[in-house]
Amino acid sequence: MRTATPPPVAPAGDHHDLAVVLFAVIVLVTLGITFWAGRRRGGGADDFYAGGRDFTPLQNGFALSGDYLSAASFLGVAGLIALFGYDGVLYSIGFLVAWLVVLMLVAELVRNAGRYTLADVLALRLRRRKVRAAAGGASVVVTLFYLVAQMVGAGSLVALLLGTNSAEARTWTIVAVGGLMIVYVTVGGMRATTWIQIVKAFLLVAGSVLLTVLLLVRFHGDVAELMRQAAQHSGAGQRYLEPGLKYGKSFTSRLDFFSLGLALVLGTAGLPHILSRFYTVPTARAARRSTMWAIGLVGGFYLMAIALGLGATALVGSAEVRHANAAGNTAVPLLALVLGGGNGSTGGVVLFAVISAIAFATILAVVAGLTLASSAAFAHDIWAGAWRGRPRRRRGGRGERGARGRRALVPASRRARGGADDATGTAAERTEDGAPATTERQEVLVARIAAVGIGAVAIVLSLFAQQLNVAFLVGLAFAVAASANLPVLLYSLFWRRFTPRGAVWSVYGGLIPAVVLVAFSPVVSGTKVALFPGVDFHWFPLENPGLVSIPLGFLAGWIGTLTSPEPADPDRYAELEVRALTGAGAA
C-alpha cells in the first residue's frame, strides 16, 4: 500500500510564459475558424442561426457536448470531487441524467416543430406576439446569467493560472473574452460557433483521456488503491467515500441538494443554446443521433472527471487543492502538474500549461454559443416576432414548400389578418398592425447588433461581479430554464388544451419566482459567503429555487389554461402533432 505523502504543488512561475503562448494559439485558431466560416457563410437566417443545417450527427454531437461541458464541468466537478468525494460525484450525476430527458422528450420533436428557437415551437400552435415575447425574454435571461458566470469565471481562472491575483488582470481577461465572443458570433454565426465547439470538445476529451491514462498508470490500474489514497489524503478519512460530507449536514442542506439536482436534470432540456443545436442538422433522426453521441461523450467525460477528482485528492491532497482555490477549481491543473513530473519539471510545466489552455478554450467556446443563442432570441423572437412581425423567407427551400402547403389549410380570413406560419418564420406581406413585415436580411443584421449589445452588457455586469461568488448564477440559469422554458415546452408539445394565456403564465410563473427566491436566499445575504455578507434580508432557506419555482411554472401554465377565455385550437394542435411526430413540413 502506498504511504508516501503527496508532494507540495504550489504552482511555480515558469509555466506562465508557456500558458500565455498556448492561450494565444487557442485564440488564433478560433479566430482562424471564425473567418474561414465567415467566408463560407451566406447572408440568410438559415446560415446565421443554424449553420446551413448541414452538420452530421457526429459533428453536432461533439458540438452539443462542447456547448454543455463548460469550464464549470471541466474544473468545477473534478474540484468538488477532490474536496467532498462522494457528494461531489452526486453533483455530477444531475448533469448526465439530464441528457436522458433531452433524448426522450424533446430532441426530435423540437427539431421537427421549430426553426431556430424555442419560441418557434410554441408559435406553431400559439400564434401570439406575447407568447414569443415571453419565451424570447426568458431565453435572454437564462443565457445572460450563464454568460456572466462564465466570463467572471474566465477572469478569475486565467488570472490564477497566470500567477496573478490582480483585479486589473481579471478585468482585461473579461474584456478580451467578451470581445472575442462578439467577433465569433457577428463574423462567423452558427457555422463558426459549431466548429469552435467541435474543436473544443475534441481537445477537452483528449486532455481528459491523457490525464486519466497517466493517473491509472501511476496507480498500476488499481482503482481501489486510488480510492484508498484519496480517502487518506482527504482530511476526512473514510467519510470522504461516504455520502454526507457536503450535503448531509442538515435537513435543509439535503433539501437544497435535491433542489439543485432537480434544476440540473430538468434545466438542460430548456437551455436555449442546447435547443438551438438541434436545428443545425438536416433531420429529426439526425437530431436524435446527435443527442446519443452527446450522451456518450458527456458520460465518458464525467467518468473521467470522477477519476481525476479522486486523483487530485490522492496525489495533491484536499488541503493543497483548497489552499490554491477555495472552490477546488484548480484541482485538475494541479493534478496535471504532478502527473507531468512535479513542480519545476519540464513535463509538469508543459502538461499544466496544456490543461490550462484547454480550460481557456472551453470558456471561449461556451460564451460563443451563449451569445449566439441570446442574440437569436432577441432578434428572431422579440424584435422580428413580437415587435415588428415575422420575416419573409427566401423561396425555394424545403421549409418554404411545407409552409405553402400548410397555408393552403389556413382560412383566408386568418391569412388576411397576418396569421401565417409563425414557427417557420413565414409572414404575410403585412403584419397584424399593417406594418411591413421584416426581411431575413434585416433580422440577421439585428441579430449581429444584438450580439454586440448583449456582449457589452455581459462585460459590464461581469466587471461589477468580479468579487462576487458566481456559483449561484449557473444554478439560477438552470433553475430558470427548468422553471420557465421546460413547462411551456412540454405543455405545448403534449397538452391539447394548452392556450396562449397558459403559455405566458407558465413562462412568467416560473421566471419571476426563480429570480425572486434567489434574491431572498442565503446566496445573496445572511451568511459569510453571501453576495452581501454584511446584511441579512433572506427568508428563503434554500440556495437553489428549483424545488419551488419549477412546480410553480407548471402550476401557472395549468391555471392560465383553465381560466383562459379563449379555448385551444384543435386544428393547430393537430398540425403541431403531425409535424412534430412525422417531420412533415419541417424546416
Side-chain angles (χ1 to χ4, degrees):
M1 178 177 178
R2 296 174 182 264
T3 58
T5 302
V9 289
D14 54 356
H15 65 274
H16 301 322
D17 292 340
L18 181 57
V20 171
V21 171
L22 290 177
F23 287 176
V25 170
I26 291 292
V27 170
L28 291 176
V29 169
T30 53
L31 286 176
I33 292 173
T34 300
F35 287 107
W36 166 77
R39 288 196 300 269
R40 295 186 59 194
R41 181 176 52 80
D46 264 13
D47 208 277
F48 185 81
Y49 292 136
R53 307 185 195 276
D54 56 1
F55 288 96
T56 66
L58 176 60
Q59 291 170 339
N60 198 45
F62 267 90
L64 273 169
S65 60
D67 246 333
Y68 191 67
L69 296 174
S70 65
S73 299
F74 183 44
L75 302 175
V77 171
L80 282 174
I81 295 171
L83 296 180
F84 302 108
Y86 186 94
D87 282 12
V89 175
L90 287 179
Y91 190 90
S92 68
I93 291 176
F95 287 109
L96 179 58
V97 174
W99 280 100
L100 300 179
V101 178
V102 176
L103 176 64
M104 292 186 296
L105 294 181
V106 302
E108 287 191 55
L109 302 183
V110 166
R111 175 60 186 84
N112 281 336
R115 182 164 182 79
Y116 303 127
T117 64
L118 166 66
D120 285 339
V121 181
L122 309 181
L124 186 59
R125 62 173 295 203
L126 307 171
R127 295 164 187 168
R128 294 290 186 276
R129 292 190 178 196
K130 57 186 178 181
V131 174
R132 272 196 177 274
S139 295
V140 171
V141 171
V142 172
T143 53
L144 194 58
F145 274 117
Y146 214 142
L147 196 56
V148 171
Q150 292 296 319
M151 293 179 65
V152 173
S156 301
L157 176 65
V158 172
L160 181 64
L161 295 177
L162 294 181
T164 177
N165 291 319
S166 69
E168 185 178 359
R170 291 195 297 270
T171 296
W172 282 111
T173 299
I174 290 172
V175 173
V177 170
L180 286 171
M181 74 182 184
I182 291 172
V183 172
Y184 296 152
V185 174
T186 56
V187 175
M190 178 60 85
R191 191 180 298 277
T193 301
T194 300
W195 279 110
I196 291 172
Q197 297 287 11
I198 292 171
V199 172
K200 165 258 177 134
F202 176 80
L203 291 175
L204 185 62
V205 172
S208 301
V209 169
L210 175 62
L211 290 182
T212 303
V213 169
L214 292 176
L215 177 65
L216 294 177
V217 169
R218 185 75 168 257
F219 284 89
H220 308 291
D222 191 345
V223 178
E225 177 63 17
L226 170 62
M227 297 175 66
R228 283 192 292 268
Q229 287 291 307
Q232 181 179 343
H233 297 109
S234 66
Q238 189 62 26
R239 290 192 304 121
Y240 177 81
L241 301 176
E242 298 173 354
L245 192 59
K246 178 174 175 62
Y247 300 111
K249 297 178 181 179
S250 65
F251 175 76
T252 301
S253 66
R254 296 189 188 98
L255 202 62
D256 209 355
F257 175 72
F258 179 77
S259 181
L260 174 64
L262 189 66
L264 295 179
V265 169
L266 299 180
T268 301
L271 290 175
H273 64 298
I274 297 297
L275 294 177
S276 65
R277 284 254 153 251
F278 297 134
Y279 303 121
T280 63
V281 290
T283 64
R285 182 171 180 267
R288 174 173 284 269
R289 291 176 61 193
S290 298
T291 307
M292 295 175 67
W293 275 109
I295 290 175
L297 292 168
V298 172
F301 170 81
Y302 280 120
L303 286 176
M304 291 185 287
I306 294 172
L308 296 180
L310 293 172
T313 307
L315 298 178
V316 179
S318 292
E320 201 59 58
V321 171
R322 188 176 283 107
H323 175 73
N325 182 268
N329 288 332
T330 56
V332 173
L334 292 177
L335 176 63
L337 189 64
V338 174
L339 292 175
N343 195 21
S345 67
T346 302
V349 168
V350 171
L351 198 54
F352 184 97
V354 168
I355 296 303
S356 301
I358 291 175
F360 186 61
T362 297
I363 292 170
L364 291 180
V366 172
V367 296
L370 289 167
T371 305
L372 181 61
S374 56
S375 65
F378 178 85
H380 185 65
D381 298 330
I382 298 176
W383 185 79
W387 183 33
R388 289 288 303 274
R390 279 72 58 194
R392 293 189 298 269
R393 293 187 58 228
R394 291 173 298 176
R395 296 183 180 275
R398 176 175 50 189
E400 177 69 19
R401 290 194 301 269
R404 287 200 301 268
R406 287 190 301 280
R407 285 201 301 274
L409 302 177
V410 179
S413 59
R414 189 187 302 168
R415 293 200 302 273
R417 294 193 303 269
D421 190 349
D422 290 346
T424 61
T426 304
E429 288 298 319
R430 293 190 174 269
T431 66
E432 295 172 3
D433 300 328
T438 58
T439 64
E440 276 193 1
R441 188 175 298 276
Q442 291 173 327
E443 183 182 320
V444 171
L445 176 62
V446 170
R448 293 197 183 100
I449 296 173
V452 176
I454 290 170
V457 171
I459 290 173
V460 172
L461 292 177
S462 301
L463 292 177
F464 280 103
Q466 283 186 75
Q467 303 300 326
L468 303 181
N469 180 356
V470 298
F472 84 98
L473 288 173
V474 175
L476 179 59
F478 275 85
V480 172
S483 305
N485 290 348
L486 184 64
V488 71
L489 177 61
L490 295 183
Y491 276 149
S492 182
L493 288 173
F494 299 110
W495 192 15
R496 186 180 300 273
R497 295 178 57 191
F498 197 47
T499 64
R501 172 186 280 189
V504 174
W505 283 28
S506 181
V507 172
Y508 293 127
L511 174 65
I512 295 174
V515 176
V516 170
L517 291 178
V518 167
F520 293 98
S521 74
V523 300
V524 176
S525 68
T527 64
K528 294 180 179 179
V529 295
L531 299 181
F532 305 106
V535 295
D536 186 1
F537 51 83
H538 91 279
W539 50 263
F540 184 65
L542 305 182
E543 294 184 1
N544 190 284
L547 188 62
V548 176
S549 60
I550 295 173
L552 285 179
F554 281 99
L555 179 63
W558 180 70
I559 295 176
T561 296
L562 294 185
T563 60
S564 177
E566 178 186 3
D569 189 330
D571 293 336
R572 287 177 177 171
Y573 179 76
E575 179 185 354
L576 168 67
E577 191 174 35
V578 170
R579 177 164 159 180
L581 294 176
T582 67

